Amino acid sequence: GEDVEQSLFLSVREGDSSVINCTYTDSSSTYLYWYKQEPGAGLQLLTYIFSNMDMKQDQRLTVLLNKKDKHLSLRIADTQTGDSAIYFCAGGSGGKLIFGQGTELSVKP
Amino acid sequence: GAVVSQHPSRVICKSGTSVKIECRSLDFQATTMFWYRQFPKKSLMLMATSNEGSKATYEQGVEKDKFLINHASLTLSTLTVTSAHPEDSSFYICSASPFLRESQETQYFGPGTRLLVL
């Protein structure tokens, strides 16, 4: 089945760019997603990219997809302290989502 | 749009009792709802998928008699943890998937329910 891998931690300074990486195994995912989870809360859908796209930009967020390498990344420009959270990538397959372990982003002032 | 609510947000119960958690899609109809369990600092583990009007599909290793799921309408699904034990303490999150032409996998998540079994 699908396996989704992420690095567990990322620490950046306020104002810098953050890049969170994700690799996946199932190339049949139609869409790939990024979700944000703040402490004690549910998941907030940040953005998603159709599998035949290479890049999608939405304000401070840029998603890059390399289908050949099965690599997905989320870049957050001008990272703010409010961006501190856990970020999950997920691939869709058969109506289900398979999540990575989550990357904890820590933004230092 | 695409708001999902859960109730209660937090519940403490005694061992052996049953707890019901509600998941509602507030501004859309959800053909499918999902129930996840999340342990601290861990990813989400899919427990079951429920479709309105039919029996839920449980993931391997999830006891269907312990975690009862009812999807009575296109906006409401409930998860009942029966005869709860301390090891059932966890963060339970539901999600709802509207039927979209573009993607059938897009899910909108509720805020989660923290269950503590004493």
Side-chain angles (χ1 to χ4, degrees), chain A residues 30-81:
Chain A
T30 308
Y31 287 85
L32 293 147
Y33 301 83
W34 283 103
Y35 285 88
K36 175 184 179 183
Q37 185 180 34
E38 298 184 19
L43 274 67
Q44 173 194 353
L45 177 63
L46 283 180
T47 186
Y48 60 89
I49 186 167
F50 189 43
S51 59
N52 71 353
M53 295 170 65
D54 298 322
M55 185 184 87
K56 180 179 179 181
Q57 186 155 3
D58 184 0
Q59 299 182 334
R60 292 192 297 124
L61 305 178
T62 303
V63 179
L64 294 178
L65 175 60
N66 182 327
K67 282 200 76 173
K68 176 173 167 290
D69 294 339
K70 297 181 184 174
H71 182 265
L72 181 73
S73 68
L74 174 70
R75 178 177 180 269
I76 306 173
D78 187 25
T79 313
Q80 303 297 306
T81 54

Side-chain angles (χ1 to χ4, degrees), chain A residues 94-96, chain B residues 30-35 48-58 69-77 95 97 104:
Chain A
K96 298 180 185 178
Chain B
T31 51
T32 308
M33 286 184 167
F34 302 85
W35 287 96
T49 303
S50 76
N51 292 292
E52 185 262 341
S54 62
K55 288 185 179 180
T57 302
Y58 289 81
I69 291 171
N70 183 276
H71 194 155
S73 75
L74 285 171
T75 59
L76 173 65
S77 176
S95 70
S97 183
Q104 291 182 321

Side-chain angles (χ1 to χ4, degrees), chain A residues 1-3 24-29 32 70 92-93:
Chain A
E2 171 79 283
D3 190 26
Y24 59 95
T25 57
D26 187 354
S27 57
S28 66
S29 294
L32 293 147
K70 297 181 184 174
S93 180

Side-chain angles (χ1 to χ4, degrees), chain B residues 37-102:
Chain B
R37 184 172 178 177
Q38 186 181 33
F39 292 99
K41 301 284 188 182
K42 297 289 186 185
S43 187
L44 280 73
M45 183 193 82
L46 179 63
M47 298 174 67
T49 303
S50 76
N51 292 292
E52 185 262 341
S54 62
K55 288 185 179 180
T57 302
Y58 289 81
E59 295 299 302
Q60 194 172 6
V62 178
E63 297 177 61
K64 63 180 181 183
D65 294 330
K66 180 161 187 66
F67 298 100
L68 300 178
I69 291 171
N70 183 276
H71 194 155
S73 75
L74 285 171
T75 59
L76 173 65
S77 176
T78 60
L79 168 69
T80 301
V81 183
T82 62
S83 186
H85 287 94
E87 57 265 30
D88 298 324
S89 298
S90 194
F91 193 51
Y92 292 88
I93 309 179
C94 74
S95 70
S97 183
F99 180 76
L100 297 172
R101 218 173 333 156
E102 296 83 6

